[in-house]
Amino acid sequence: MDKIVESYQEADINFENMELKKLKKYALRGNLRAQNTIGDRYYIGDGVEKNYEEAFRWYKKAADEGYNVAQYNLGDMYYCGFGIEKNYIKAIELFKKAANKGNIEAACNLGCMYEEGDGTKTDYEEAIKWYVKASEQDDFYAQYNLGNMYMYGKGVAQNYQKAFQLHEKSAKQGYMKAQNTLGYLYEEGKGTLRSYENALKWYEEAAYQEYPYAEYNLGGMYYTGKGVEQNLRIAYAWYERSAEHGLEKAQKALSEKF
């Protein structure tokens, strides 16, 4: 009962801006959020020297007591091999614990692991299950990934309409990869009516975030005059920016088109 009362009383405390010495007092009293916050401090080197082993130790304290954010963070350390030997099986175990308590980042990561076969056999249906769980909570990464599952027919019948809807949700939250894909779907008229103007708009949204594929696609719109007056000077500028960001097909376009 004491622990429940303490948790209620400390729910609104701003641990993020608290000095480490005071923060540790709460953590040593068993406050799980304080323990996780100390883990964050050591993980990123906020006010202390970066120390993955110490971050791992504090995350584990909170994770072992069932705190879903710490379970996610600990799973991520196992996934990346930070502070501990890389272990996808342990990562999946921890992500599942966190995801089943509503942690959307953990659910999205599980989707990725099942899609890619990291620490488990590739299982598109299981990937979709976790992507759906996260996307229903408006996670833009999960919406994008789930949209791709529908676009390419992975574990589900190919459905461009569904892919369009999911990419649109993700794109409206500012995710540049989804914005670029939405531009493509508008340009090709897949899952929606073809609209070069809308394609141009979404390519621009992603290109101004310096996403090289969108920069390349925007260059193509200006080169061909789709949805905009043809302008080879602007086309060259976007191809050049894409090339500078490492996209080989943009480098090839510069040499072949100009």
Side-chain angles (χ1 to χ4, degrees):
M1 178 63 71
D2 289 342
K3 193 169 186 179
I4 295 174
V5 172
E6 179 185 72
S7 176
Y8 172 76
Q9 290 174 339
E10 297 170 358
D12 295 327
I13 293 176
N14 184 1
F15 289 128
E16 284 68 28
N17 296 321
M18 186 178 289
E19 63 175 7
L20 186 62
K21 185 177 179 180
K22 187 176 180 182
L23 185 61
K24 283 186 175 179
K25 287 182 180 179
Y26 282 101
L28 292 171
R29 280 165 50 189
N31 187 287
L32 306 183
R33 192 160 60 88
Q35 292 170 354
N36 183 74
T37 303
I38 295 174
D40 289 341
R41 297 270 181 95
Y42 281 108
Y43 186 86
I44 64 175
D46 179 13
V48 295
E49 187 175 343
K50 184 183 287 189
N51 187 324
Y52 288 139
E53 289 77 14
E54 194 67 4
F56 181 91
R57 185 171 77 85
W58 284 103
Y59 285 148
K60 190 172 189 305
K61 279 180 180 289
D64 287 347
E65 293 298 321
Y67 187 48
N68 77 82
V69 180
Q71 289 169 335
Y72 166 76
N73 288 332
L74 193 63
D76 193 54
M77 294 194 82
Y78 273 113
Y79 182 84
C80 298
F82 292 160
I84 191 71
E85 186 177 346
K86 186 179 287 190
N87 188 327
Y88 288 151
I89 293 172
K90 283 290 292 183
I92 287 174
E93 178 188 322
L94 285 156
F95 286 150
K96 278 187 177 178
K97 287 180 179 179
N100 283 326
K101 292 173 184 170
N103 189 293
I104 59 176
E105 291 87 356
C108 188
N109 280 14
L110 278 171
C112 292
M113 293 185 80
Y114 278 107
E115 183 181 357
E116 299 298 327
D118 291 336
T120 182
K121 67 177 183 178
T122 298
D123 187 335
Y124 292 149
E125 289 183 6
E126 191 70 6
I128 287 170
K129 169 188 146 183
W130 291 109
Y131 285 148
V132 166
K133 195 176 182 75
S135 66
E136 285 178 346
Q137 295 179 74
D138 222 21
D139 183 80
F140 60 84
Y141 289 112
Q143 290 166 342
Y144 170 77
N145 290 335
L146 186 60
N148 281 341
M149 300 295 275
Y150 278 104
M151 192 157 79
Y152 299 112
K154 294 168 75 172
V156 68
Q158 189 177 50
N159 186 326
Y160 283 115
Q161 251 185 334
K162 193 75 176 170
F164 176 86
Q165 291 166 2
L166 286 158
H167 283 300
E168 186 178 42
K169 286 180 180 179
S170 180
K172 285 182 175 179
Q173 293 191 68
Y175 189 41
M176 60 188 178
K177 289 186 177 181
Q179 291 170 342
N180 180 64
T181 303
L182 195 61
Y184 163 78
L185 291 170
Y186 270 119
E187 184 180 358
E188 298 299 321
K190 292 183 175 181
T192 186
L193 292 174
R194 175 175 281 147
S195 170
Y196 293 144
E197 290 77 12
N198 280 327
L200 187 81
K201 169 195 165 184
W202 287 108
Y203 285 148
E204 283 180 341
E205 290 282 343
Y208 283 117
Q209 294 187 67
E210 300 189 342
Y211 187 52
Y213 288 95
E215 291 168 338
Y216 173 84
N217 290 333
L218 190 56
M221 299 293 280
Y222 277 100
Y223 186 83
T224 55
K226 287 181 177 179
V228 68
E229 186 176 344
Q230 186 182 42
N231 190 317
L232 298 184
R233 181 182 61 80
I234 295 176
Y236 182 91
W238 282 112
Y239 282 137
E240 186 177 46
R241 286 182 66 170
S242 179
E244 286 172 352
H245 290 134
L247 192 65
E248 287 186 12
K249 61 194 299 188
Q251 295 164 359
K252 188 177 179 183
L254 286 172
S255 62
E256 291 181 353
K257 296 178 184 291
F258 297 95

